[in-house]
Amino acid sequence: AVYHDGRALLEALAHNPHAMEFASVEVRCNRHVAMSAVRISGQAFRAISENLKADEEVVLAAVRFSGYTLKHAAPHLRADRDIAFEAITNHPSVATIVAPELLCNEDFVMAAARQNGNVLEYMAADFRENCSIVRAAVSQNVHAFQHAGPSIRADRSFVQEAASVDVHAFAYADLKTFEDPG
């Protein structure tokens, strides 16, 4: 069945995340329908018109629902700081498709680490060795400590600081740090 009515399509999306693929061209190009659809199903974004994939507001709504939709957004929007931030903090693995210049920006990386510590896994090695960024990531999620650089995981005072937030930090520490030298 082809959906020629936006309302019927939105009802169908509640039961079938791929329903947008069966929408008429007119429905796929309807901004109002697209805005609603991407808030119901991340899959809907893949089927909207290319013009709407370049619409900043539509893309922002889509990545707030599912960060992975950034993969299908217009290339210039992958470099948009606000859109990339929403996508990467929603799904940290999206870092692999975010514009590289954002991932090289310390302020961007710090803000992302504060929002979702798991982003540390996808950051460059020098950021994983940056005490401030690692501290922000670990404060948000102690399990981010497993992605810290080796020198930080071997730093006795840093490990103790992280463990004071959550004892599970010891699981990711370089335990040679705590061996008795004698």
Side-chain angles (χ1 to χ4, degrees):
V2 174
Y3 295 99
H4 296 284
D5 176 54
R7 237 176 291 177
L9 169 70
L10 295 174
E11 288 175 18
L13 278 172
H15 305 289
N16 178 1
H18 301 281
M20 184 64 108
E21 296 170 19
F22 304 103
S24 67
V25 172
E26 294 80 24
V27 171
R28 289 177 189 225
C29 293
N30 183 307
R31 189 174 189 278
H32 177 73
V33 171
M35 287 292 289
S36 297
V38 300
R39 290 179 176 130
I40 296 170
S41 167
Q43 294 294 326
F45 187 78
R46 292 172 48 178
I48 65 175
S49 73
E50 293 302 314
N51 286 345
L52 292 174
K53 290 179 184 176
D55 182 306
E56 190 173 327
E57 199 174 342
V58 173
V59 173
L60 190 56
V63 299
R64 282 184 175 146
F65 181 81
S66 173
Y68 292 113
T69 58
L70 186 64
K71 180 178 181 180
H72 304 286
H76 74 279
L77 293 179
R78 293 183 201 155
D80 180 281
R81 184 180 175 91
D82 294 333
I83 290 172
F85 181 80
E86 286 291 335
I88 201 170
T89 57
N90 188 330
H91 292 287
S93 65
V94 170
T96 60
I97 57 173
V98 167
E101 60 268 20
L102 288 174
L103 299 178
C104 294
N105 180 297
E106 186 172 347
D107 292 335
F108 179 83
V109 172
M110 175 63 85
R114 284 185 178 135
Q115 190 70 25
N116 186 332
N118 292 323
V119 302
L120 195 60
E121 178 179 0
Y122 302 95
M123 295 302 132
D126 47 323
F127 289 134
R128 289 185 278 123
E129 291 287 353
N130 180 310
C131 288
S132 298
I133 290 173
V134 172
R135 188 173 287 112
V138 170
S139 294
Q140 197 283 320
N141 181 345
V142 72
H143 300 289
F145 194 46
Q146 68 187 303
H147 304 296
S151 67
I152 289 182
R153 287 186 287 113
D155 181 310
R156 185 182 194 104
S157 64
F158 197 96
V159 170
Q160 288 174 330
E161 179 185 337
S164 73
V165 173
D166 188 320
V167 72
H168 291 100
F170 282 122
Y172 309 115
D174 180 349
L175 296 179
K176 292 179 205 152
T177 302
F178 295 95
E179 290 178 358
D180 186 5

